[in-house]
Amino acid sequence: MADAKVIPFGSPDDGHERGGAYERSGQQGNERRGGQQRQQGRPGGGEQRRLRAGRADGYRAEGGRAEGDRTKGDRTGTGPTGTGPTGTGPTGTGPTDAGRAQAGQTDGGRHDAGDGPGAAWDGSVWEDRAAKALAFLRRRVTGEYEVDDFGYDAELTDQVLMSMLRPLYEKYFRVEARGVENIPADGSALVVSNHSGTLPLDGLMMQVAVHDNHPAGRHLRLLAADLVFTLPVVNALARKAGHTLACSEDAAALLSRGEVVGVMPEGFKGLGKPFSERYKLQRFGRGGFVSTALRAGAPIVPCSVVGAEEIYPMVGNAKTLARLLGFPYLPVTPTFPLLGPLGAVPLPTKWTIQFGEPIPTDGYPPGSADDPMLMFNLTDQIRETIQHTLYKLLVRRRSVFF
């Protein structure tokens, strides 16, 4: 113990010597371990590097093959090791290609060409659409289409007119239709509604609501004023869309054929009323629509439209100029005629169309249609039903535009 040499722990020279000794002993240990590994068939340091390089090349090759498989539509969801290439890290276990394919997506969020919404872009779909369009044009040119006695063209209405009105219905006014199922699935019915908006867009939106939402696919045949059928272009379009003159004879003829007929008893009194009287129903006439429904035995469906009153806020009426032009009124709004043609663009209000419970008329005795007191009571009942429904919808409405 007396001969033992004490070496200072912090001596740099001795530290280097110890480091070299440790390094030499480490190398010798590695050589011994490498020899033992080679003897046991395990790769040493150089061979490990070569194997790692080979595995990297294999991963790249497997990745190329996996990409090719995805192009062919074979999404197995496994990489070379079953987990690594599909996860968030080198060996993660994230969503596989099969799971993404079930969600309708592949790498990059693209839809498959033959699956999901992307299938709409398939060439065969466009070929079918083009064939239908050409067949439609051929029938229009050759006259191979049916028109009833009133000029109603069902094919043109379904494929053209409704398609033109649908963006206005769905995107601009964002119409919410309620109670469409209250219209009978078959047989005749008379839909009675309030009328407003300066221009008769409410009737057109009602027609789209019934056409697109009724479970049985019923069509609404509107009764229009005489003025509609005196305008050159509007006359032809109204006839093609199934509208007819607002008279008892035409209404009775349509109801006898089992059609759904729409009428707005307020007429121009409701359509051209000032903005200060919005949602206040005007007089419903002498009840001629009730008499027609009683004679046909057709149920009466009250309908309330909210949102049309504000599309053209009528703050004035140029009566003298309207009389010279032959119009019942000439509206003055905050934007028309101040902004010229731009003032004719309606405001994008939010609409609600509520179809109420049908009122049966087939239980009355014969000759009831000639009873003036009964006509008055039924007319007043329908008017009050629509008015109360309007008040309820206005209370629930959050905003004019939303």
Side-chain angles (χ1 to χ4, degrees):
M1 293 295 291
D3 295 333
K5 182 180 180 180
V6 180
I7 301 174
F9 189 79
S11 174
D13 295 337
D14 292 331
H16 288 303
E17 290 178 359
R18 284 198 308 275
Y22 292 155
E23 184 179 357
R24 286 192 297 271
S25 63
Q27 290 177 354
Q28 293 174 1
N30 288 336
E31 290 177 357
R32 286 194 296 272
R33 284 193 296 274
Q36 292 175 0
Q37 289 173 351
R38 284 192 293 270
Q39 291 175 2
Q40 296 174 3
R42 295 174 59 184
E47 289 196 19
Q48 285 180 352
R49 287 192 295 270
R50 288 194 295 272
L51 286 177
R52 282 196 296 268
R55 280 198 296 269
D57 294 337
Y59 277 122
R60 285 192 293 269
E62 287 290 338
R65 285 194 293 271
E67 184 66 25
D69 292 341
R70 283 195 295 270
T71 304
K72 296 177 183 178
D74 181 15
R75 290 164 174 79
T76 60
T78 58
T81 60
T83 56
T86 62
T88 58
T91 58
T93 57
T96 62
D97 286 341
R100 287 193 296 268
Q102 290 178 359
Q105 292 182 342
T106 60
D107 292 342
R110 295 185 298 271
H111 290 282
D112 294 339
D115 188 20
W121 297 98
D122 189 21
S124 60
V125 176
W126 286 110
E127 291 177 0
D128 293 341
R129 293 180 179 178
K132 292 179 180 179
L134 291 175
F136 173 77
L137 292 176
R138 180 185 57 80
R139 288 192 297 270
R140 307 312 297 185
V141 172
T142 59
E144 298 177 1
Y145 56 90
E146 296 182 359
V147 177
D148 67 5
D149 300 342
F150 298 93
Y152 174 50
D153 190 337
E155 183 183 38
L156 183 68
T157 300
D158 292 341
Q159 299 190 21
V160 178
L161 299 182
M162 291 294 106
S163 299
M164 294 172 61
L165 293 173
R166 196 166 288 117
L168 196 65
Y169 176 91
E170 296 178 350
K171 305 298 182 182
Y172 196 78
F173 293 133
R174 295 146 292 148
V175 181
E176 180 182 357
R178 303 175 183 175
V180 184
E181 65 279 0
N182 288 326
I183 299 175
D186 54 9
S188 61
L190 183 65
V191 178
V192 182
S193 174
N194 60 310
H195 205 16
S196 61
T198 306
L199 292 181
L201 296 179
D202 51 357
L204 299 177
M205 296 300 102
M206 286 173 53
Q207 191 174 9
V208 179
V210 176
H211 180 274
D212 290 357
N213 297 286
H214 195 276
R218 301 301 301 269
H219 295 267
L220 182 64
R221 308 288 297 271
L222 292 172
L223 303 180
D226 302 354
L227 178 63
V228 174
F229 302 102
T230 60
L231 303 176
V233 179
V234 177
N235 174 25
L237 291 177
R239 290 290 185 185
K240 295 292 184 180
H243 306 172
T244 188
L245 192 63
C247 62
S248 301
E249 292 77 11
D250 288 0
L254 289 174
L255 291 175
S256 64
R257 300 180 183 184
E259 298 283 357
V260 179
V261 181
V263 62
M264 298 172 175
E266 291 180 282
F268 289 121
K269 299 187 302 294
L271 192 63
K273 64 177 176 288
F275 186 69
S276 59
E277 298 180 10
R278 59 191 179 278
Y279 298 113
K280 296 179 181 178
L281 295 183
Q282 305 298 305
R283 193 172 65 91
F284 269 23
R286 295 185 295 271
F289 67 93
V290 175
S291 175
T292 303
L294 283 173
R295 288 189 171 92
I300 299 175
V301 180
C303 179
S304 304
V305 181
V306 168
E309 293 273 14
E310 295 89 359
I311 60 174
Y312 295 112
M314 185 171 170
V315 296
N317 182 11
K319 296 181 180 180
T320 303
L321 185 57
R323 192 178 301 109
L324 293 175
L325 296 176
F327 295 154
Y329 57 89
L330 188 63
V332 177
T333 71
T335 58
F336 182 84
L338 181 62
L339 300 181
L342 187 61
V345 178
L347 296 178
T349 58
K350 177 72 171 63
W351 287 34
T352 301
I353 300 179
Q354 175 74 57
F355 295 90
E357 294 287 339
I359 300 174
T361 61
D362 53 357
Y364 292 95
S368 299
D370 299 324
D371 185 352
M373 187 58 64
L374 179 61
M375 295 299 101
F376 175 82
N377 291 335
L378 283 177
T379 301
D380 189 64
Q381 176 187 351
I382 296 168
R383 184 181 180 278
E384 289 300 318
T385 300
I386 298 174
Q387 183 69 79
H388 285 304
T389 304
L390 288 175
Y391 288 151
K392 291 179 182 178
L393 294 175
L394 289 172
V395 169
R396 298 172 185 172
R397 184 171 66 168
R398 296 178 300 173
S399 170
V400 174
F401 300 100
F402 304 102

